[in-house]
Amino acid sequence: MRLTESDLVGLFDRFEHGREAERSAGLLAALCPERTVGDVSLGDRDRLFLKARREQFGARGVQAKVQCGGCGEWMSLDLGAGFTLPPKVSDTAQVTFEGTAYTLRLPCQDDLLRTQGGQFPMALLCPDAPWESDAFCQAAEAALDAADPGLDLVFDLTCPECGDQTECGLDTLDFLWRDVEACALRFFADVGVLARAFGWSEAETAALSPRRRRRYVEMVT
Ligand SMILES: [Zn+2]
C-alpha cells in the first residue's frame, strides 16, 4: 500500500523515539493494514520493506557504510537499485537432531518485541527443542537459512586498504526508516519556510499539491 506524506509524517512522529521493534511494527501496520503484523515473518518483512522503499521513494540503490574491522577504514556496500532478497522456500524449518525431528516456525515481528537484552528468543520457534545445545542451535540456524535464504543476509566485504574481511548485515528497517525520516524533515522544513514567508499554517502547507508547494518554497529560498 502506498503511503501519503501525511502518513509518513505521522509515522515519524509516533516512532522517532520508539524501540526498533515498535518502529518495525508501526511501519508494517501502515503498509499492510489488512494483516496481523505480529505474525509476519522477518524475511517477509524485509522483502516488504525493500519493496515499499522502491515503490514509495523510487528505485534507488541499497547502500550501507561499514567500517573495516582490521584498519577502521570506511567501505560502502552498494547492491544497486534492482536488488531484491531471495524468495522464501518454506514457512517452517526442519531439524533432525539426535534422532528426533523438530519443526521450527520462522521468526516473526512479534519475536522482535519479545527480544530482551539483544537476545532473540529462539526458543519460541520450537518450545520443545533442546536450545541448550550449541550443536542444535547451529543446526537450527542453518535450517532457518535454508527455509528462508532472505533471513539475516550477511555480505562479506574485503577492505581495499588492508584486505581484511568484514561482515555487513542488511538492515532493511534502517533503510526504510531513513527515507521516512527524510520525508518528514523535508515537510517540517517547508512548513517552516512558508510560515515565515507567508504566515501559512501547517495545515495550509499540507493542503498544497507537491508541485505548488515546491513553487512557493523556491520563491522564498
Ligand atoms: Zn581494512
Side-chain angles (χ1 to χ4, degrees):
M1 170 172 163
R2 204 176 155 78
L3 303 176
T4 63
E5 181 184 59
S6 146
D7 294 332
L8 295 167
V9 172
L11 282 166
F12 179 75
D13 277 342
R14 275 183 66 199
F15 298 107
E16 182 188 5
H17 300 297
R19 287 169 57 201
E20 282 193 4
E22 289 160 2
R23 196 177 275 183
S24 171
L27 283 170
L28 273 177
L31 290 169
C32 30
E34 73 290 354
R35 285 187 69 169
T36 310
V37 299
D39 300 340
V40 176
S41 79
L42 294 182
D44 284 345
R45 178 201 77 155
D46 288 348
R47 279 179 284 266
L48 214 128
F49 281 176
L50 287 179
K51 178 164 169 271
R53 182 173 175 268
R54 234 179 3 255
E55 291 178 354
Q56 193 83 40
F57 303 104
R60 281 173 306 127
V62 173
Q63 287 140 345
K65 289 252 181 255
V66 197
Q67 197 167 20
C68 169
C71 68
E73 184 75 15
W74 284 92
M75 303 179 277
S76 48
L77 171 73
D78 188 347
L79 298 169
F83 176 78
T84 51
L85 286 171
K88 181 166 67 180
V89 175
S90 166
D91 278 319
T92 55
Q94 310 298 328
V95 184
T96 301
F97 184 73
E98 293 179 350
T100 308
Y102 299 93
T103 299
L104 281 59
R105 67 165 173 79
L106 296 179
C108 67
Q109 165 61 37
D110 264 355
D111 295 332
L112 291 181
L113 294 169
R114 299 180 191 118
T115 297
Q116 284 184 340
Q119 276 296 314
F120 190 86
M122 295 294 278
L124 294 176
L125 306 184
C126 180
D128 301 332
W131 294 99
E132 65 286 356
S133 154
D134 287 345
F136 176 81
C137 290
Q138 280 178 13
E141 279 184 27
L144 289 168
D145 275 347
D148 190 344
L151 266 181
D152 282 335
L153 211 58
V154 170
F155 298 88
D156 283 325
L157 294 187
T158 305
C159 174
E161 295 297 321
C162 73
D164 252 35
Q165 285 224 329
T166 302
E167 286 192 342
C168 174
L170 197 65
D171 190 344
T172 61
L173 172 63
D174 182 57
F175 283 133
L176 181 58
W177 185 256
R178 273 190 271 155
D179 285 335
V180 171
E181 181 176 42
C183 168
L185 297 182
R186 206 162 40 235
F187 172 71
F188 298 141
D190 286 357
V191 168
V193 164
L194 299 180
R196 276 194 301 274
F198 306 118
W200 292 345
S201 69
E202 185 187 274
E204 281 168 324
T205 292
L208 295 170
S209 71
R211 185 188 291 246
R212 271 297 162 85
R213 192 162 97 202
R214 202 167 337 117
R215 219 167 255 269
Y216 288 121
V217 168
E218 279 168 7
M219 243 177 237
V220 293
T221 51

